[in-house]
Amino acid sequence: MTEAQIKTLRGHRGFVVIKKRWIVERSFAWLSFDRRLNREDDLLPETTEAFISLSFIRRLIRRLTAFAQQHAVSA
């Protein structure tokens, strides 16, 4: 987001559509599926960062296996 866009957002009242914001919101929703990330028990931010990475890795592996199975059946 550019500085001019930020200035217009600050002076604007009401709802402002931010491009591609839905991608970020969807990613946060995916993270909420992991119980470990729903709680704030970790003392170090590096621990939380590691679990976020693991969550996305797990999600990508599930997508890849589903994709591979789908194309293996149709081939």
Side-chain angles (χ1 to χ4, degrees), residues 12-56:
H12 192 275
R13 290 185 176 201
F15 181 75
V16 178
V17 176
I18 301 173
K19 288 185 177 183
K20 306 226 179 180
R21 175 67 183 249
W22 63 273
I23 296 172
V24 174
E25 295 296 333
R26 180 187 62 192
S27 300
F28 285 143
W30 286 341
L31 289 175
S32 70
F33 286 121
D34 289 326
R35 275 191 243 164
R36 173 77 187 232
L37 296 173
N38 277 333
R39 296 176 295 164
E40 303 275 335
D41 292 341
D42 298 326
L43 296 177
L44 299 174
E46 291 84 7
T47 307
T48 304
E49 183 181 350
F51 278 105
I52 288 172
S53 297
L54 286 172
S55 175
F56 278 121

CSV table of all heavy atoms in Angstrom, one decimal, residues 12-56:
chain,number,residue,atom,x,y,z
A,12,HIS,N,-10.8,8.9,5.6
A,12,HIS,CA,-12.1,8.4,5.1
A,12,HIS,C,-12.8,7.7,6.3
A,12,HIS,O,-12.3,7.1,7.1
A,12,HIS,CB,-11.8,7.3,4.0
A,12,HIS,CG,-13.0,6.9,3.3
A,12,HIS,ND1,-13.9,6.0,3.7
A,12,HIS,CD2,-13.5,7.4,2.1
A,12,HIS,CE1,-14.9,5.8,2.9
A,12,HIS,NE2,-14.7,6.7,1.9
A,13,ARG,N,-14.1,8.0,6.3
A,13,ARG,CA,-15.0,7.3,7.3
A,13,ARG,C,-15.8,6.3,6.6
A,13,ARG,O,-16.2,6.4,5.5
A,13,ARG,CB,-15.9,8.3,7.9
A,13,ARG,CG,-15.2,9.3,8.8
A,13,ARG,CD,-16.2,10.2,9.5
A,13,ARG,NE,-15.5,11.0,10.4
A,13,ARG,CZ,-16.0,11.6,11.4
A,13,ARG,NH1,-17.3,11.5,11.6
A,13,ARG,NH2,-15.3,12.4,12.2
A,14,GLY,N,-16.1,5.2,7.3
A,14,GLY,CA,-16.9,4.1,6.7
A,14,GLY,C,-16.0,3.0,6.2
A,14,GLY,O,-14.8,2.9,6.5
A,15,PHE,N,-16.6,2.2,5.4
A,15,PHE,CA,-16.0,1.0,4.8
A,15,PHE,C,-15.2,1.3,3.6
A,15,PHE,O,-15.6,2.0,2.7
A,15,PHE,CB,-17.1,0.0,4.5
A,15,PHE,CG,-16.5,-1.3,3.9
A,15,PHE,CD1,-15.9,-2.2,4.8
A,15,PHE,CD2,-16.6,-1.6,2.6
A,15,PHE,CE1,-15.4,-3.4,4.3
A,15,PHE,CE2,-16.1,-2.8,2.1
A,15,PHE,CZ,-15.5,-3.7,3.0
A,16,VAL,N,-13.9,0.9,3.6
A,16,VAL,CA,-13.0,1.1,2.5
A,16,VAL,C,-12.5,-0.3,2.0
A,16,VAL,O,-12.0,-1.1,2.8
A,16,VAL,CB,-11.8,2.0,2.8
A,16,VAL,CG1,-10.9,2.1,1.7
A,16,VAL,CG2,-12.3,3.3,3.3
A,17,VAL,N,-12.7,-0.6,0.7
A,17,VAL,CA,-12.2,-1.9,0.2
A,17,VAL,C,-10.7,-1.8,0.0
A,17,VAL,O,-10.2,-0.9,-0.7
A,17,VAL,CB,-13.0,-2.2,-1.1
A,17,VAL,CG1,-12.4,-3.5,-1.7
A,17,VAL,CG2,-14.4,-2.3,-0.9
A,18,ILE,N,-10.0,-2.7,0.5
A,18,ILE,CA,-8.6,-2.8,0.3
A,18,ILE,C,-8.3,-4.0,-0.6
A,18,ILE,O,-8.8,-5.1,-0.3
A,18,ILE,CB,-7.8,-3.0,1.7
A,18,ILE,CG1,-8.1,-1.8,2.6
A,18,ILE,CG2,-6.3,-3.1,1.4
A,18,ILE,CD1,-7.6,-1.9,4.0
A,19,LYS,N,-7.6,-3.8,-1.7
A,19,LYS,CA,-7.4,-4.9,-2.6
A,19,LYS,C,-6.7,-6.0,-2.0
A,19,LYS,O,-5.7,-5.8,-1.2
A,19,LYS,CB,-6.6,-4.4,-3.8
A,19,LYS,CG,-7.3,-3.5,-4.7
A,19,LYS,CD,-6.5,-3.1,-5.9
A,19,LYS,CE,-7.3,-2.3,-6.9
A,19,LYS,NZ,-6.5,-2.0,-8.1
A,20,LYS,N,-7.1,-7.2,-2.3
A,20,LYS,CA,-6.5,-8.5,-1.9
A,20,LYS,C,-6.5,-8.7,-0.4
A,20,LYS,O,-5.7,-9.5,0.1
A,20,LYS,CB,-5.1,-8.6,-2.5
A,20,LYS,CG,-5.1,-8.5,-4.0
A,20,LYS,CD,-4.3,-9.5,-4.6
A,20,LYS,CE,-4.3,-9.2,-6.1
A,20,LYS,NZ,-3.6,-10.1,-6.9
A,21,ARG,N,-7.3,-7.9,0.3
A,21,ARG,CA,-7.4,-8.1,1.8
A,21,ARG,C,-7.9,-9.5,2.1
A,21,ARG,O,-7.6,-10.1,3.1
A,21,ARG,CB,-8.2,-7.0,2.4
A,21,ARG,CG,-8.5,-7.1,3.8
A,21,ARG,CD,-7.2,-6.9,4.7
A,21,ARG,NE,-7.5,-7.1,6.1
A,21,ARG,CZ,-7.4,-6.2,7.0
A,21,ARG,NH1,-7.0,-5.0,6.6
A,21,ARG,NH2,-7.6,-6.4,8.2
A,22,TRP,N,-8.8,-10.0,1.3
A,22,TRP,CA,-9.5,-11.2,1.5
A,22,TRP,C,-8.5,-12.4,1.6
A,22,TRP,O,-8.7,-13.4,2.3
A,22,TRP,CB,-10.5,-11.5,0.5
A,22,TRP,CG,-10.0,-11.7,-0.9
A,22,TRP,CD1,-9.7,-10.7,-1.8
A,22,TRP,CD2,-9.5,-12.9,-1.6
A,22,TRP,NE1,-9.2,-11.2,-3.0
A,22,TRP,CE2,-9.1,-12.5,-2.8
A,22,TRP,CE3,-9.5,-14.2,-1.2
A,22,TRP,CZ2,-8.6,-13.5,-3.7
A,22,TRP,CZ3,-9.0,-15.2,-2.1
A,22,TRP,CH2,-8.6,-14.8,-3.3
A,23,ILE,N,-7.3,-12.2,0.9
A,23,ILE,CA,-6.3,-13.3,0.9
A,23,ILE,C,-5.7,-13.4,2.3
A,23,ILE,O,-5.5,-14.5,2.8
A,23,ILE,CB,-5.2,-13.0,-0.1
A,23,ILE,CG1,-5.8,-13.1,-1.5
A,23,ILE,CG2,-4.1,-14.0,0.0
A,23,ILE,CD1,-4.9,-12.6,-2.6
A,24,VAL,N,-5.4,-12.3,2.9
A,24,VAL,CA,-4.9,-12.2,4.3
A,24,VAL,C,-5.9,-12.8,5.3
A,24,VAL,O,-5.6,-13.6,6.1
A,24,VAL,CB,-4.5,-10.8,4.6
A,24,VAL,CG1,-4.0,-10.7,6.1
A,24,VAL,CG2,-3.4,-10.3,3.7
A,25,GLU,N,-7.2,-12.3,5.1
A,25,GLU,CA,-8.2,-12.8,6.1
A,25,GLU,C,-8.4,-14.3,5.9
A,25,GLU,O,-8.6,-15.0,6.9
A,25,GLU,CB,-9.5,-12.0,5.8
A,25,GLU,CG,-9.4,-10.6,6.1
A,25,GLU,CD,-9.2,-10.3,7.5
A,25,GLU,OE1,-9.6,-11.1,8.4
A,25,GLU,OE2,-8.6,-9.2,7.8
A,26,ARG,N,-8.4,-14.8,4.7
A,26,ARG,CA,-8.5,-16.3,4.5
A,26,ARG,C,-7.4,-17.0,5.2
A,26,ARG,O,-7.6,-18.1,5.8
A,26,ARG,CB,-8.6,-16.6,3.0
A,26,ARG,CG,-8.7,-18.0,2.7
A,26,ARG,CD,-8.6,-18.3,1.2
A,26,ARG,NE,-7.3,-17.9,0.8
A,26,ARG,CZ,-6.9,-17.8,-0.5
A,26,ARG,NH1,-7.8,-18.0,-1.4
A,26,ARG,NH2,-5.7,-17.5,-0.8
A,27,SER,N,-6.2,-16.5,5.1
A,27,SER,CA,-5.0,-17.1,5.7
A,27,SER,C,-5.1,-17.2,7.2
A,27,SER,O,-4.8,-18.2,7.8
A,27,SER,CB,-3.7,-16.4,5.3
A,27,SER,OG,-3.6,-16.4,3.9
A,28,PHE,N,-5.6,-16.1,7.8
A,28,PHE,CA,-5.8,-16.1,9.2
A,28,PHE,C,-6.9,-17.1,9.6
A,28,PHE,O,-6.8,-17.7,10.7
A,28,PHE,CB,-6.2,-14.7,9.7
A,28,PHE,CG,-5.0,-13.7,9.7
A,28,PHE,CD1,-5.2,-12.4,9.4
A,28,PHE,CD2,-3.8,-14.1,10.1
A,28,PHE,CE1,-4.2,-11.5,9.4
A,28,PHE,CE2,-2.7,-13.2,10.2
A,28,PHE,CZ,-2.9,-11.9,9.8
A,29,ALA,N,-7.9,-17.2,8.8
A,29,ALA,CA,-9.0,-18.2,9.1
A,29,ALA,C,-8.4,-19.6,9.1
A,29,ALA,O,-8.8,-20.5,9.9
A,29,ALA,CB,-10.1,-18.0,8.1
A,30,TRP,N,-7.5,-19.9,8.1
A,30,TRP,CA,-6.9,-21.2,8.0
A,30,TRP,C,-6.1,-21.5,9.3
A,30,TRP,O,-6.1,-22.6,9.8
A,30,TRP,CB,-6.0,-21.3,6.8
A,30,TRP,CG,-6.8,-21.5,5.5
A,30,TRP,CD1,-8.1,-21.9,5.4
A,30,TRP,CD2,-6.2,-21.2,4.2
A,30,TRP,NE1,-8.4,-21.9,4.0
A,30,TRP,CE2,-7.3,-21.5,3.3
A,30,TRP,CE3,-5.0,-20.8,3.8
A,30,TRP,CZ2,-7.1,-21.4,2.0
A,30,TRP,CZ3,-4.9,-20.7,2.4
A,30,TRP,CH2,-5.9,-21.0,1.5
A,31,LEU,N,-5.4,-20.5,9.8
A,31,LEU,CA,-4.6,-20.7,11.0
A,31,LEU,C,-5.4,-20.9,12.2
A,31,LEU,O,-5.0,-21.6,13.1
A,31,LEU,CB,-3.7,-19.4,11.2
A,31,LEU,CG,-2.6,-19.2,10.3
A,31,LEU,CD1,-1.9,-17.9,10.6
A,31,LEU,CD2,-1.6,-20.3,10.3
A,32,SER,N,-6.6,-20.4,12.2
A,32,SER,CA,-7.5,-20.6,13.4
A,32,SER,C,-8.0,-22.1,13.5
A,32,SER,O,-8.5,-22.5,14.6
A,32,SER,CB,-8.7,-19.7,13.3
A,32,SER,OG,-9.6,-20.1,12.3
A,33,PHE,N,-7.8,-22.9,12.5
A,33,PHE,CA,-8.2,-24.3,12.6
A,33,PHE,C,-7.2,-25.1,13.5
A,33,PHE,O,-7.6,-26.1,14.0
A,33,PHE,CB,-8.2,-25.0,11.2
A,33,PHE,CG,-9.4,-24.6,10.4
A,33,PHE,CD1,-9.2,-24.0,9.1
A,33,PHE,CD2,-10.6,-24.8,10.8
A,33,PHE,CE1,-10.3,-23.6,8.4
A,33,PHE,CE2,-11.7,-24.5,10.1
A,33,PHE,CZ,-11.6,-23.9,8.8
A,34,ASP,N,-6.0,-24.6,13.7
A,34,ASP,CA,-5.0,-25.3,14.5
A,34,ASP,C,-5.2,-24.9,16.0
A,34,ASP,O,-5.2,-23.7,16.3
A,34,ASP,CB,-3.6,-25.0,14.1
A,34,ASP,CG,-3.2,-25.7,12.8
A,34,ASP,OD1,-3.8,-26.8,12.6
A,34,ASP,OD2,-2.5,-25.1,12.0
A,35,ARG,N,-5.5,-25.8,16.8
A,35,ARG,CA,-5.8,-25.5,18.3
A,35,ARG,C,-4.6,-24.8,18.9
A,35,ARG,O,-4.8,-24.0,19.8
A,35,ARG,CB,-6.1,-26.8,19.0
A,35,ARG,CG,-7.5,-27.2,18.9
A,35,ARG,CD,-7.8,-28.3,19.9
A,35,ARG,NE,-8.2,-29.5,19.1
A,35,ARG,CZ,-8.2,-30.7,19.6
A,35,ARG,NH1,-7.9,-30.9,20.8
A,35,ARG,NH2,-8.6,-31.7,18.9
A,36,ARG,N,-3.4,-25.2,18.6
A,36,ARG,CA,-2.2,-24.7,19.2
A,36,ARG,C,-2.1,-23.2,19.0
A,36,ARG,O,-1.7,-22.4,19.8
A,36,ARG,CB,-1.0,-25.4,18.7
A,36,ARG,CG,0.3,-24.8,19.1
A,36,ARG,CD,0.6,-25.2,20.5
A,36,ARG,NE,1.8,-24.6,21.0
A,36,ARG,CZ,2.8,-25.2,21.6
A,36,ARG,NH1,2.8,-26.5,21.7
A,36,ARG,NH2,3.9,-24.5,22.0
A,37,LEU,N,-2.6,-22.7,17.8
A,37,LEU,CA,-2.5,-21.3,17.5
A,37,LEU,C,-3.7,-20.5,18.0
A,37,LEU,O,-3.6,-19.2,17.9
A,37,LEU,CB,-2.3,-21.1,15.9
A,37,LEU,CG,-1.1,-21.7,15.4
A,37,LEU,CD1,-1.1,-21.7,13.8
A,37,LEU,CD2,0.2,-21.0,15.9
A,38,ASN,N,-4.7,-21.1,18.5
A,38,ASN,CA,-5.8,-20.4,19.1
A,38,ASN,C,-5.5,-19.9,20.5
A,38,ASN,O,-6.2,-19.0,20.9
A,38,ASN,CB,-7.1,-21.3,19.1
A,38,ASN,CG,-7.8,-21.3,17.8
A,38,ASN,OD1,-7.7,-20.4,17.0
A,38,ASN,ND2,-8.5,-22.4,17.5
A,39,ARG,N,-4.6,-20.5,21.1
A,39,ARG,CA,-4.2,-20.1,22.5
A,39,ARG,C,-3.0,-19.3,22.5
A,39,ARG,O,-2.2,-19.3,21.6
A,39,ARG,CB,-4.0,-21.3,23.4
A,39,ARG,CG,-5.2,-22.2,23.5
A,39,ARG,CD,-4.9,-23.4,24.3
A,39,ARG,NE,-4.0,-24.2,23.5
A,39,ARG,CZ,-3.3,-25.2,24.0
A,39,ARG,NH1,-3.3,-25.5,25.2
A,39,ARG,NH2,-2.5,-25.9,23.2
A,40,GLU,N,-2.8,-18.4,23.5
A,40,GLU,CA,-1.6,-17.6,23.6
A,40,GLU,C,-0.7,-18.1,24.7
A,40,GLU,O,-0.3,-17.3,25.6
A,40,GLU,CB,-2.1,-16.1,23.9
A,40,GLU,CG,-3.0,-15.6,22.9
A,40,GLU,CD,-2.3,-14.9,21.7
A,40,GLU,OE1,-1.2,-14.5,21.9
A,40,GLU,OE2,-2.9,-14.9,20.6
A,41,ASP,N,-0.3,-19.3,24.6
A,41,ASP,CA,0.5,-19.9,25.7
A,41,ASP,C,2.0,-19.8,25.5
A,41,ASP,O,2.8,-20.0,26.4
A,41,ASP,CB,0.1,-21.4,25.8
A,41,ASP,CG,-1.3,-21.6,26.4
A,41,ASP,OD1,-1.8,-20.7,26.9
A,41,ASP,OD2,-1.8,-22.7,26.2
A,42,ASP,N,2.4,-19.5,24.2
A,42,ASP,CA,3.8,-19.5,23.9
A,42,ASP,C,4.5,-18.3,24.5
A,42,ASP,O,4.0,-17.2,24.5
A,42,ASP,CB,4.1,-19.6,22.4
A,42,ASP,CG,3.5,-20.8,21.8
A,42,ASP,OD1,3.5,-21.9,22.5
A,42,ASP,OD2,3.0,-20.7,20.7
A,43,LEU,N,5.7,-18.6,25.1
A,43,LEU,CA,6.4,-17.5,25.7
A,43,LEU,C,7.3,-16.7,24.7
A,43,LEU,O,7.4,-15.5,24.8
A,43,LEU,CB,7.4,-18.0,26.8
A,43,LEU,CG,6.7,-18.6,28.0
A,43,LEU,CD1,7.8,-19.2,28.9
A,43,LEU,CD2,5.8,-17.6,28.7
A,44,LEU,N,7.8,-17.4,23.7
A,44,LEU,CA,8.6,-16.8,22.7
A,44,LEU,C,7.9,-16.6,21.4
A,44,LEU,O,7.2,-17.5,20.9
A,44,LEU,CB,9.9,-17.6,22.4
A,44,LEU,CG,10.8,-17.9,23.6
A,44,LEU,CD1,11.9,-18.8,23.2
A,44,LEU,CD2,11.4,-16.6,24.1
A,45,PRO,N,8.0,-15.4,20.7
A,45,PRO,CA,7.4,-15.2,19.4
A,45,PRO,C,7.9,-16.2,18.3
A,45,PRO,O,7.2,-16.5,17.4
A,45,PRO,CB,7.7,-13.8,19.1
A,45,PRO,CG,8.7,-13.3,20.0
A,45,PRO,CD,8.7,-14.2,21.2
A,46,GLU,N,9.2,-16.6,18.5
A,46,GLU,CA,9.8,-17.6,17.6
A,46,GLU,C,9.0,-18.9,17.6
A,46,GLU,O,8.9,-19.6,16.5
A,46,GLU,CB,11.2,-17.8,17.9
A,46,GLU,CG,12.1,-16.7,17.6
A,46,GLU,CD,12.2,-15.7,18.8
A,46,GLU,OE1,11.6,-16.0,19.8
A,46,GLU,OE2,12.8,-14.6,18.6
A,47,THR,N,8.5,-19.3,18.7
A,47,THR,CA,7.7,-20.5,18.8
A,47,THR,C,6.4,-20.4,18.1
A,47,THR,O,6.1,-21.3,17.3
A,47,THR,CB,7.4,-20.9,20.3
A,47,THR,OG1,8.6,-20.9,21.0
A,47,THR,CG2,6.7,-22.2,20.5
A,48,THR,N,5.7,-19.3,18.2
A,48,THR,CA,4.5,-19.1,17.5
A,48,THR,C,4.8,-19.0,16.0
A,48,THR,O,4.0,-19.6,15.2
A,48,THR,CB,3.8,-17.8,17.9
A,48,THR,OG1,3.6,-17.8,19.3
A,48,THR,CG2,2.5,-17.6,17.2
A,49,GLU,N,5.9,-18.4,15.6
A,49,GLU,CA,6.2,-18.3,14.2
A,49,GLU,C,6.5,-19.7,13.6
A,49,GLU,O,6.1,-20.0,12.5
A,49,GLU,CB,7.5,-17.4,14.0
A,49,GLU,CG,7.9,-17.2,12.6
A,49,GLU,CD,9.2,-16.4,12.5
A,49,GLU,OE1,9.6,-15.8,13.5
A,49,GLU,OE2,9.7,-16.3,11.4
A,50,ALA,N,7.2,-20.5,14.4
A,50,ALA,CA,7.4,-21.9,13.9
A,50,ALA,C,6.1,-22.7,13.7
A,50,ALA,O,6.0,-23.4,12.7
A,50,ALA,CB,8.3,-22.6,14.9
A,51,PHE,N,5.2,-22.5,14.6
A,51,PHE,CA,3.9,-23.3,14.5
A,51,PHE,C,3.1,-22.7,13.4
A,51,PHE,O,2.3,-23.5,12.7
A,51,PHE,CB,3.2,-23.2,15.8
A,51,PHE,CG,3.6,-24.3,16.8
A,51,PHE,CD1,4.4,-24.0,17.9
A,51,PHE,CD2,3.3,-25.6,16.6
A,51,PHE,CE1,4.9,-24.9,18.7
A,51,PHE,CE2,3.8,-26.6,17.4
A,51,PHE,CZ,4.6,-26.3,18.5
A,52,ILE,N,3.2,-21.4,13.1
A,52,ILE,CA,2.5,-20.9,11.9
A,52,ILE,C,3.1,-21.5,10.6
A,52,ILE,O,2.3,-21.9,9.7
A,52,ILE,CB,2.6,-19.4,11.9
A,52,ILE,CG1,1.7,-18.8,13.0
A,52,ILE,CG2,2.2,-18.8,10.5
A,52,ILE,CD1,1.9,-17.3,13.2
A,53,SER,N,4.4,-21.6,10.6
A,53,SER,CA,5.0,-22.2,9.4
A,53,SER,C,4.6,-23.7,9.3
A,53,SER,O,4.3,-24.1,8.2
A,53,SER,CB,6.5,-22.1,9.5
A,53,SER,OG,6.9,-20.8,9.5
A,54,LEU,N,4.6,-24.4,10.4
A,54,LEU,CA,4.2,-25.8,10.3
A,54,LEU,C,2.7,-25.9,9.9
A,54,LEU,O,2.4,-26.9,9.2
A,54,LEU,CB,4.3,-26.4,11.7
A,54,LEU,CG,5.8,-26.8,12.1
A,54,LEU,CD1,5.8,-27.2,13.6
A,54,LEU,CD2,6.4,-27.8,11.2
A,55,SER,N,1.9,-25.0,10.3
A,55,SER,CA,0.5,-25.1,9.9
A,55,SER,C,0.3,-24.9,8.4
A,55,SER,O,-0.5,-25.7,7.8
A,55,SER,CB,-0.3,-24.0,10.7
A,55,SER,OG,-1.6,-24.0,10.2
A,56,PHE,N,1.0,-24.0,7.9
A,56,PHE,CA,0.9,-23.8,6.4
A,56,PHE,C,1.6,-24.9,5.6
A,56,PHE,O,1.1,-25.3,4.6
A,56,PHE,CB,1.5,-22.4,6.0
A,56,PHE,CG,0.6,-21.3,6.2
A,56,PHE,CD1,0.9,-20.2,7.0
A,56,PHE,CD2,-0.7,-21.2,5.6
A,56,PHE,CE1,0.1,-19.1,7.2
A,56,PHE,CE2,-1.5,-20.2,5.8
A,56,PHE,CZ,-1.1,-19.1,6.6
